[in-house]
Amino acid sequence: MGVNTDRVMPSDALVLFGVSGDLVHKMIFPSLYAMVIRGHLDIPIIGVASSEWNVDRLTKHVRHSIDAAGGVTDHQAFRRLLSLLRYVKGDYRDETTFAAIKRELRSASRPAHYLAIPPTLFATVIQGLGAAGLANEARLIVEKPFGRDLASAQALNRTAQSVFPESSIFRIDHYLGKEAIMNILYFRFANSFLEPIWNRNYIAGVQLTLSEAFGVKTRGAFYESAGCLRDVIQNHLLQVVALLAMEPPAYQGYAAIHSEKAKVFQAMRSLKPRDVVRGQYAGYRLEPGVAKGSNVETYCAVRLFIDSWRWDGVPWYLRSGKCLAETAAEVLVELKDPPQKLFSDSTLSAERTNYLRFRLSPRTAVALAARTKRPGHEFVGDQQELYLLDEHPGEEGPYERLLGDALLGDNALFTRQDAVEAAWAVVDPVLKRHSKVLPYKRGSWGPVGRDQGVEPERGWHNPELGGLNTRRPKRQRT
Ligand code: BG6
């Protein structure tokens, strides 16, 4: 799909608020380095933080960041990256900080301001940028979480839009920059065979799993303020649902996609406490930064419905959690069973008959499952998976892709204000009204079996890592 960016000017400087923080260290500098290697970045990078740093200290930080991400492979590009760095120390509440940024921008007149800072500081920095005249011709790149409920997201949108036009605001959901997720959009609308079956008449239900085999690590304090529902379900998983559920865009262009996605969120039924199961892994309360009696969920499963012509009555099951059995993300779209049970093995109602499976990570896969007859006298068969795609994700990581797009003014893979607010409206009623967390063992699949009503009829499909390295289908005895 073509994107028209020829009327917008590229940014001529990148201002990184929160440059000494974790996100910039882990994700942003490795992405900037990769962009320099590809020749996609050659503008000043102005790091801003409250730490008593200078450019030399920032340089050390960058070196450490690249080392942690695999080390320097291209020394020339690395030196080039270092030569782009500038540093401003300051308090975000102080106007002299913004005056110092203005000085460091020198002749740059179209900066992109990246807020990799705690959300509580977003409004302060946005207003500071506006007051200092640093918003003219500029872009604002905001990291999630964009708000912590519907009211705060609306307030933040009002603040951002009072200083920047919507077309200059880039709300990052890094899931949208992932190859496997872009492929959902492509796969749905580049093929014609799906459309006739992609609706309530043929689809029995859809499951999305984002499981992580690790805990909150050093992010306990952040997690205590978020929880799984806010951290990944309201954004990453709902974005994937929107791509799976949206109507075909009316024209070639991303504005049409943004509109169709927003309509999906608007048609989603708001969650009620009975649609949500919350779990907490054993030992979470002992993690640094976590309250002793914490009721924050490290696992969350939800069942939702989209009240639209296409999806009426089809349940969507979403779950995510830390310290689960695998690190994987997968979508399973289950088709309805054949109307008659003609063969002796058709009575195995526990087995899924036809489904489409999108493995999102760690590999990218698209597989279609069907039953075929086993050679022999009996009319019994096996379920086979036909692999349409099975590969490692492309080289360009999501942050590299999204940062590059934002600097070029291409907002295709970012979230629009109406969609963000509509997604918050879906989860808002259960952010505070919910039952107590159910404990689960580390390395398990969460409090499965106790999530009555929120569990799919045929149970959760657990992504298995082993099967993906082989194209040979597993034989299942029937
Ligand atoms: C982040 C969440 O947005 O997404 C993390 O804050 C989560 O808690 C991560 O681990 C998952 O992203 P990915 O790309 O590692 O699947």
Side-chain angles (χ1 to χ4, degrees):
M1 178 164 284
V3 185
N4 186 4
T5 51
D6 51 9
R7 278 177 293 116
V8 289
M9 295 289 284
S11 300
D12 58 3
L14 175 63
V15 184
L16 285 179
F17 287 88
V19 75
S20 59
D22 213 33
L23 177 78
V24 174
H25 184 269
K26 267 200 208 132
M27 312 299 292
I28 307 303
F29 277 121
S31 306
L32 295 177
Y33 169 58
M35 288 167 75
V36 176
I37 292 178
R38 279 183 226 278
H40 292 173
L41 184 77
D42 197 14
I43 55 176
I45 301 166
I46 297 144
V48 189
S50 56
S51 314
E52 285 292 345
W53 282 15
N54 53 24
V55 175
D56 288 343
R57 179 65 189 80
L58 178 57
T59 301
K60 268 195 200 145
H61 186 69
V62 175
R63 183 176 291 279
H64 189 263
S65 152
I66 308 300
D67 282 346
V72 175
T73 49
D74 180 333
H75 291 275
Q76 202 183 345
F78 184 64
R79 278 195 301 276
R80 182 76 200 120
L81 174 65
L82 298 185
S83 75
L84 301 173
L85 298 175
R86 299 173 195 173
Y87 183 71
V88 170
K89 178 223 168 292
D91 180 337
Y92 301 137
R93 281 164 297 227
D94 188 345
E95 62 190 39
T96 60
T97 304
F98 296 91
I101 294 171
K102 207 170 195 171
R103 280 195 300 280
E104 282 302 338
L105 280 169
R106 300 177 204 165
S107 60
S109 58
R110 300 183 308 276
H113 304 289
Y114 188 116
L115 308 194
I117 50 177
T120 45
L121 292 171
F122 284 173
T124 311
V125 171
I126 293 169
Q127 280 152 353
L129 289 170
L134 284 169
N136 306 334
E137 303 290 312
R139 299 196 169 105
L140 178 72
I141 308 172
V142 198
E143 259 303 323
K144 82 173 242 296
F146 200 80
R148 49 175 289 105
D149 53 20
L150 177 58
S152 57
Q154 287 168 330
L156 190 53
N157 276 326
R158 278 195 297 274
T159 306
Q161 290 175 341
S162 69
V163 177
F164 293 87
E166 175 65 20
S167 59
S168 301
I169 302 173
F170 294 77
R171 299 174 191 83
I172 288 201
D173 183 318
H174 79 280
Y175 258 54
L176 295 177
K178 290 188 180 228
E179 268 301 322
I181 288 165
M182 291 190 265
N183 190 36
I184 292 179
L185 182 70
Y186 185 87
F187 186 76
R188 273 201 63 199
F189 300 117
N191 295 306
S192 61
F193 75 94
L194 272 187
E195 180 55 18
I197 57 168
W198 208 251
N199 54 50
R200 67 186 185 288
N201 298 324
Y202 292 89
I203 292 181
V206 185
Q207 294 189 26
L208 281 76
T209 298
L210 162 55
S211 61
E212 295 176 321
F214 47 86
V216 292
K217 297 182 179 165
T218 54
R219 298 167 76 223
F222 159 75
Y223 217 76
E224 280 288 281
S225 69
C228 182
L229 181 61
R230 282 192 179 92
D231 186 37
V232 296
I233 293 192
Q234 184 274 342
N235 35 72
H236 303 332
L237 290 190
L238 286 190
Q239 288 294 330
V240 177
V241 171
L243 292 171
L244 290 162
M246 64 187 264
E247 294 302 315
Y251 54 90
Q252 201 189 83
Y254 274 95
I257 297 178
H258 283 310
S259 301
E260 295 305 337
K261 280 173 60 190
K263 284 186 211 160
V264 174
F265 298 127
Q266 283 150 6
M268 274 179 196
R269 226 179 272 172
S270 304
L271 295 175
K272 297 202 168 55
R274 65 165 184 269
D275 301 318
V276 181
V277 169
R278 300 164 68 248
Q280 191 182 80
Y281 65 79
Y284 169 71
R285 293 176 187 180
L286 301 174
E287 302 275 19
V290 171
K292 294 277 165 288
S294 174
N295 186 35
V296 166
E297 79 285 0
T298 59
Y299 169 97
C300 188
V302 308
R303 181 191 53 179
L304 60 83
F305 288 94
I306 301 169
D307 289 329
S308 67
W309 189 283
R310 186 186 288 269
W311 296 113
D312 183 57
V314 177
W316 294 71
Y317 299 96
L318 282 54
R319 69 172 167 168
S320 181
K322 305 267 183 210
C323 283
L324 295 183
E326 297 279 7
T327 297
E330 191 157 277
V331 175
L332 190 84
V333 181
E334 270 186 85
L335 298 180
K336 290 186 173 169
D337 286 341
Q340 279 186 294
K341 300 194 186 312
L342 295 178
F343 307 107
S344 54
D345 63 353
S346 313
T347 51
L348 294 171
S349 59
E351 195 166 287
R352 305 172 208 279
T353 311
N354 300 137
Y355 61 80
L356 193 61
R357 186 164 69 79
F358 295 92
R359 167 59 62 88
L360 308 177
S361 74
R363 296 170 70 88
T364 304
V366 180
L368 187 63
R371 297 189 70 80
T372 54
K373 186 184 167 303
R374 205 180 293 163
H377 191 71
E378 301 291 320
F379 273 84
V380 292
D382 296 300
Q383 190 181 53
Q384 314 277 4
E385 276 198 346
L386 168 67
Y387 274 76
L388 303 170
L389 170 78
D390 181 9
E391 64 185 21
H392 280 294
E395 271 192 359
E396 204 184 33
Y399 272 97
E400 186 188 344
R401 163 79 195 230
L402 294 174
L403 276 169
D405 282 4
L407 293 175
L408 289 173
D410 176 355
N411 62 14
L413 299 177
F414 296 83
T415 51
R416 211 170 63 180
Q417 174 236 337
D418 52 348
V420 168
E421 290 181 12
W424 274 118
V426 174
V427 303
D428 205 62
V430 292
L431 289 174
K432 292 208 184 93
R433 275 180 58 226
H434 48 230
S435 48
K436 277 180 77 175
V437 289
L438 301 168
Y440 63 92
K441 279 195 196 139
R442 288 167 182 254
S444 70
W445 280 106
V448 178
R450 284 174 287 159
D451 46 2
Q452 285 150 2
V454 179
E455 197 163 331
E457 205 181 321
R458 284 180 172 163
W460 285 104
H461 157 78
N462 296 330
E464 289 166 27
L465 296 189
L468 280 172
N469 295 329
T470 164
R471 280 168 190 271
R472 221 168 328 126
K474 269 190 290 174
R475 311 270 309 172
Q476 290 182 352
R477 287 206 68 79
T478 52

